[in-house]
């Protein structure tokens, strides 16, 4: 389901926008964190200068014996102080920023001490997180010389606890992502609704239905696409109707001269010549009648409707069984299927009757797959040469030239069957099996679009 979502337009739009949002958030947080860290570290240095200056003033005001107790009282897990004979920070190690902080300490000490020094070094300093120590690249060291010449040294870590705004940024990012996904889903649904209608219309057009998209809404590009589809299907319908009408007219007009020629042929005295001519005229008559029948069926405006495909197979089998064919159907349950019933029935009748006539029997099975309904028709005949499996679908092709119209047809049955199946968006194929020939009809099932509005 997740894979289907990210293959859809909504999923891809959401992915692109969320990625852009996250990149923008990361960049903003990086800039904001850098500026905030610099300001907070400066504040920590100032606070440490105040602590050292205060401690120096207190030490100068109390007896020397109480000095160690006061120093211990000022110490914290992140601050360490001690008095010694040497300075912790060398004067030459101070930079410009350190000298500015040292001047601030000198003003705060009010002659309680002198020569303040401050340095930023790398030290293992307790950061207040427990017994473990960390290497802090910005540890702060401070040294001031008291009035008696003793050096007061201090060391603290410029470790900064996580700022409260970090959690706020997390919540804001999650809320932004959810808002974007919701808006994208709504927008994509609005944009893709006409596209879903176009996909359904194209599928129905492939099944031979006359369709026209009337709800022309959405972006201008989508509306242009829908208008182009309407114009295309109108042109296709007119083109096919004109061709079929022409074929029907030609076949109809040929009936009269063929009948007249047959009457004249009956008057020929030479029986051998007469029978040859009559046989040829009979073939022509069968061809024109079959062509006219096919053209009439195609031009009929049969409305598609939903039927039970299993019931249709059983009805065709019953009709063929009634005329002495060995036909059986193995299919359970019901399969609602939208089609042009008369056209599909004719295709199935041709395939099943061929199997029963030339393969001794027809064993029909209906199988459902994910997006297709598969109908297999097996017989027990000798099969066909592999190079003829496609050729037999061509019009007027008969593999056995000795067959007459009464025994072998005129070679339009399979052609009509394939045209009818393709008119429903399906396909029919032939394949040799170990025990005979198999005709396989694959018809598409209507699978609803999960993003289409209900």
């Amino acid at each position: 389901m997740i894979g289907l979502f990210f293959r859809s337009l909504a999923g891809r739009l959401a992915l692109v926008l969320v990625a852009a949002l996250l990149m923008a958030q990361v960049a903003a947080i990086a800039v904001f964190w850098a500026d905030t860290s610099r300001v907070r570290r400066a504040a920590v240095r100032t606070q440490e200068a105040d602590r050292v200056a205060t401690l120096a003033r207190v030490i100068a005001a109390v007896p020397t014996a109480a000095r160690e107790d006061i120093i211990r009282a000022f110490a914290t897990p992140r601050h360490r102080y001690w008095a010694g004979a040497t300075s912790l920070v060398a004067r030459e190690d101070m930079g410009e920023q350190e000298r500015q902080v040292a001047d601030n300490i000198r003003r705060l000490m009010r002659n309680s001490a002198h020569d303040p020094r401050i340095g930023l070094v790398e030290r293992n300093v307790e950061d207040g997180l427990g017994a473990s120590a960390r290497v802090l690249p910005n540890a702060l060291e401070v040294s001031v010389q008291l009035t008696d010449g003793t050096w007061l040294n201090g060391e603290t870590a410029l470790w900064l606890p996580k700022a409260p705004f970090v959690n706020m940024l997390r919540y804001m990012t999650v809320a932004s992502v959810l808002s974007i996904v919701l808006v994208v889903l709504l927008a994509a649904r609005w944009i893709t609704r006409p596209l879903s209608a176009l996909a359904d219309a194209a599928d129905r057009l492939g099944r031979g239905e006359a369709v026209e998209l009337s709800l022309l809404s959405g972006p201008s590009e989508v509306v242009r696409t829908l208008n182009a589809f309407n114009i295309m299907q109108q042109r296709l319908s007119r083109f096919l109707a004109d061709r079929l009408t022409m074929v029907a007219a030609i076949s109809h007009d040929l009936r009269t001269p063929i009948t007249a020629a047959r009457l004249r042929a009956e008057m020929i005295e030479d029986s051998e010549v007469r029978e040859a001519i009559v046989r040829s005229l009979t073939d022509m008559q069968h061809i024109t009648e079959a062509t006219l029948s096919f053209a009439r069926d195609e031009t009929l405006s049969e409305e598609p409707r939903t039927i039970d495909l299993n019931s249709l197979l059983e009805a065709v089998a019953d009709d063929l069984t009634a005329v002495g064919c060995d036909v059986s159907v193995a299919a359970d349950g019901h399969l609602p299927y939208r089609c042009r019933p008369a056209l599909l029935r004719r295709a199935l009748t041709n395939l099943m009757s061929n199997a029963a006539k030339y393969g001794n029997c027809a064993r029909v099975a209906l199988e459902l797959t994910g997006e297709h309904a598969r109908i297999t028709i097996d017989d027990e005949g000798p099969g066909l040469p592999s190079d003829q499996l496609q050729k037999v679908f061509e019009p007027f092709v008969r593999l056995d030239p000795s067959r007459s119209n009464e025994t072998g047809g005129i070679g339009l049955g399979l052609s009509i069957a394939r045209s009818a199946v393709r008119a429903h968006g399906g396909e029919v194929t032939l394949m040799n099996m170990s025990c005979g020939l198999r005709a396989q009809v694959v018809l598409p099932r209507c699978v609803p679009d999960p993003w289409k509005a209900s």
Side-chain angles (χ1 to χ4, degrees):
M1 185 63 184
I2 296 178
L4 290 176
F5 172 73
F6 284 113
R7 284 200 298 269
S8 66
L9 177 62
R12 295 186 177 185
L13 284 176
L15 186 62
V16 170
L17 291 180
V18 168
L21 172 65
L22 292 179
M23 292 175 62
Q25 288 285 75
V26 169
I29 290 174
V31 174
F32 185 70
W33 181 265
D35 291 340
T36 304
S37 298
R38 185 169 57 253
V39 172
R40 294 174 69 200
R41 290 180 185 277
V44 170
R45 288 197 297 267
T46 302
Q47 293 173 2
E48 181 62 17
D50 292 342
R51 289 177 64 88
V52 170
T54 301
L55 179 57
R57 291 200 304 269
V58 172
I59 290 175
V62 299
T64 304
R67 179 179 296 179
E68 294 298 329
D69 294 335
I70 293 175
I71 290 176
R72 283 195 298 270
F74 262 73
T76 68
R78 292 183 57 231
H79 301 83
R80 188 165 64 94
Y81 301 101
W82 70 93
T86 59
S87 172
L88 182 62
V89 182
R91 181 185 295 276
E92 59 271 14
D93 292 340
M94 290 194 302
E96 182 62 29
Q97 291 184 351
E98 287 81 3
R99 289 191 178 92
Q100 292 178 2
V101 178
D103 291 340
N104 186 35
I105 296 175
R106 183 181 295 108
R107 287 192 300 270
L108 293 173
M109 288 189 302
R110 302 173 185 175
N111 300 323
S112 300
H114 63 278
D115 194 13
R117 303 175 185 180
I118 186 169
L120 296 175
V121 296
E122 187 172 307
R123 288 286 187 271
N124 285 342
V125 184
E126 290 292 330
D127 57 12
L129 295 178
S132 63
R134 295 171 56 190
V135 176
L136 302 173
N138 286 328
L140 182 66
E141 292 180 343
V142 180
S143 296
V144 296
Q145 191 173 28
L146 302 176
T147 54
D148 61 356
T150 304
W151 286 91
L152 175 62
N153 298 312
E155 190 175 46
T156 186
L158 291 181
W159 171 78
L160 300 176
K162 184 174 68 175
F165 69 83
V166 174
N167 287 332
M168 181 179 65
L169 286 175
R170 291 177 180 173
Y171 299 143
M172 291 177 59
T173 301
V174 173
S176 300
V177 169
L178 294 178
S179 300
I180 286 179
V181 170
L182 178 61
V183 171
V184 167
L185 289 178
L186 295 177
R189 183 177 181 181
W190 171 66
I191 294 173
T192 58
R193 183 180 298 174
L195 294 179
S196 298
L198 176 62
D200 291 342
D203 180 70
R204 291 168 57 196
L205 180 64
R207 295 169 180 265
E209 300 183 32
V211 295
E212 183 173 357
L213 296 172
S214 58
L215 298 177
L216 303 180
S217 61
S220 59
E221 295 83 0
V222 175
V223 173
R224 288 181 57 191
T225 302
L226 300 183
N227 281 326
F229 175 83
N230 283 335
I231 295 174
M232 179 196 69
Q233 70 91 18
Q234 290 171 3
R235 289 173 177 171
L236 284 175
S237 298
R238 287 197 299 266
F239 176 81
L240 293 176
D242 292 344
R243 294 301 183 273
L244 289 173
T245 300
M246 181 180 65
V247 170
I250 293 174
S251 299
H252 182 272
D253 292 343
L254 284 175
R255 295 166 114 185
T256 299
I258 290 175
T259 301
R262 184 167 185 172
L263 290 175
R264 290 188 178 93
E266 294 291 346
M267 301 169 58
I268 298 176
E269 296 182 357
D270 190 333
S271 59
E272 184 176 350
V273 174
R274 181 177 64 250
E275 291 177 359
I277 295 177
V278 169
R279 186 164 54 250
S280 298
L281 292 174
T282 301
D283 289 344
M284 293 178 62
Q285 184 176 7
H286 281 296
I287 291 174
T288 55
E289 292 293 340
T291 303
L292 182 60
S293 176
F294 174 71
R296 284 174 176 173
D297 288 343
E298 287 293 317
T299 54
L300 287 177
S301 57
E302 181 186 7
E303 289 295 328
R305 56 189 177 90
T306 302
I307 64 168
D308 181 13
L309 189 57
N310 186 23
S311 297
L312 178 62
L313 291 173
E314 292 177 347
V316 174
D318 291 341
D319 291 344
L320 294 176
T321 301
V323 295
C325 296
D326 182 7
V327 181
S328 63
V329 177
D332 298 326
H334 301 278
L335 175 61
Y337 188 74
R338 182 175 176 82
C339 65
R340 296 158 64 185
L343 188 61
L344 186 58
R345 182 189 184 100
R346 181 171 185 177
L348 295 174
T349 300
N350 288 349
L351 293 172
M352 294 164 68
S353 62
N354 277 355
K357 184 182 297 184
Y358 305 121
N360 302 323
C361 65
R363 302 291 178 253
V364 185
L366 175 61
E367 178 186 1
L368 302 181
T369 61
E371 298 182 358
H372 299 87
R374 181 180 290 108
I375 302 172
T376 57
I377 304 171
D378 296 336
D379 62 35
E380 297 177 356
L384 293 174
S386 57
D387 59 342
Q388 300 294 323
L389 293 176
Q390 289 296 326
K391 188 176 181 180
V392 292
F393 287 106
E394 298 176 6
F396 308 113
V397 171
R398 291 183 294 178
L399 297 184
D400 186 0
S402 65
R403 291 174 181 169
S404 66
N405 293 326
E406 288 75 16
T407 61
I410 61 172
L412 276 180
L414 290 179
S415 179
I416 292 174
R418 184 172 66 173
S419 298
V421 172
R422 286 180 173 178
H424 289 83
E427 188 58 81
V428 56
T429 56
L430 297 178
M431 61 190 73
N432 288 310
M433 307 297 290
S434 59
C435 57
L437 185 69
R438 167 174 290 184
Q440 179 173 271
V441 178
V442 178
L443 297 171
R445 300 177 63 185
C446 294
V447 180
D449 186 354
W451 300 107
K452 183 180 176 183
S454 57

